[in-house]
Amino acid sequence: MDVKEASSEGSIRPTLYSQRGISIATVFGAPLAASILIRKNYIELQNKKAGDISLVIGILSTLFIFVGLFFIPENIIDFIPNALIPLIYTGIIYLLIEKYQGKDLKAYEEQGRKFISNWKAFAIGLLTAVLVALPFLGLLYMEANDPVFNEYNTQFDEFIENENIAYRFYENLQLRPTNQLLDELNNVTIPAWENNKIILDSIDQIEGISVNLLARDKLLREYCDLNIDKLKIIKKALITNSDMYDDQIEKLTIEIAQKMKTVEEMDL
């Protein structure tokens, strides 16, 4: 397929993006950036129809990737290296360019022609990244300015603070005297969990709160109850100076961890 050539002041200008340039754009601008540059190449190669198809595929695949990321649970996302997903789709696109435009790009280069600057490809990739990010940033902005969301977060910050206070009880547990531990249990630790149940009751009264948040609050209330039950058994163990409660404490510790895992896996 012949490559269109244009001249400026007697010199032949570059008309195609290289495989490397397209890959650079893809890293930053996702498949959408790649499809824009691939379409430009196809137009120069007299195949606009293939270019339009490439653009549609780029748009759809980019939407699929970013929307899909919203549905992947956070505990799974945390185990995925940040660079892995861009490397995967960049590698796939590199191979597709090789398959569908490789011969034309090689012929173009053998003619002694220069490719369009990789810096321009990089700039298009960055610009595309901004365009792709804007709708998602808009959603985050709307969420951050949602009065229900703000009220929920304000009250839930108190829940987290109480939780942190309560868990301090377990610091240096074996090194502190029993009377000090009992005093902390009665006046700080157990009341912190009781206060968290009151906070959850208050949160559930927020007008417009979602069903998912109500379901999470129910699990968190059970989480608080489990912690209170565990602390009451620890209190018995301290008073009696006995290890006869160890199995109950261990069982409740496992239940607490399982309950928190269920909360973290909830799709809000």
Side-chain angles (χ1 to χ4, degrees), residues 12-183:
I12 299 176
R13 67 176 177 85
T15 57
L16 297 180
Y17 287 95
S18 68
Q19 197 169 3
R20 182 182 179 189
I22 296 173
S23 298
I24 291 171
T26 307
V27 171
F28 296 96
L32 178 58
S35 67
I36 292 170
L37 303 189
I38 291 171
R39 180 177 182 272
K40 169 67 167 60
N41 279 1
Y42 269 128
I43 291 173
E44 293 296 332
L45 295 167
Q46 307 284 333
N47 193 350
K48 185 176 182 297
K49 182 178 179 180
D52 292 342
I53 292 172
S54 299
L55 183 60
V56 171
I57 292 173
I59 293 170
L60 293 177
S61 57
T62 300
L63 284 172
F64 175 79
I65 290 168
F66 283 92
V67 172
L69 288 173
F70 274 91
F71 289 94
I72 299 176
E74 288 186 18
N75 61 314
I76 296 177
I77 285 287
D78 290 340
F79 285 100
I80 301 176
N82 292 335
L84 181 61
I85 294 175
L87 284 175
I88 290 173
Y89 61 64
T90 300
I92 292 171
I93 287 171
Y94 185 91
L95 294 175
L96 290 174
I97 297 168
E98 179 67 32
K99 180 176 180 179
Y100 293 104
Q101 291 189 350
K103 291 181 180 178
D104 294 312
L105 295 177
K106 185 177 180 181
Y108 176 91
E109 191 173 20
E110 287 175 349
Q111 293 173 12
R113 302 286 303 279
K114 290 184 177 181
F115 289 105
I116 298 172
S117 169
N118 289 341
W119 284 107
K120 185 173 181 180
F122 168 72
I124 291 173
L126 283 183
L127 179 60
T128 306
V130 172
L131 293 174
V132 169
L134 281 176
F136 297 100
L137 291 174
L139 288 173
L140 291 174
Y141 177 80
M142 290 174 62
E143 186 178 66
N145 287 275
D146 181 353
V148 174
F149 180 81
N150 287 335
E151 177 63 22
Y152 185 94
N153 277 348
T154 298
Q155 295 198 45
F156 199 73
D157 284 343
E158 297 179 39
F159 181 100
I160 294 172
E161 179 60 28
N162 282 334
E163 184 181 43
N164 290 335
I165 290 171
Y167 275 120
R168 287 176 197 151
F169 170 78
Y170 298 101
E171 295 176 1
N172 302 318
L173 191 61
Q174 305 298 326
L175 302 178
R176 291 185 285 159
T178 299
N179 63 331
Q180 183 183 5
L181 292 172
L182 290 172
D183 182 67

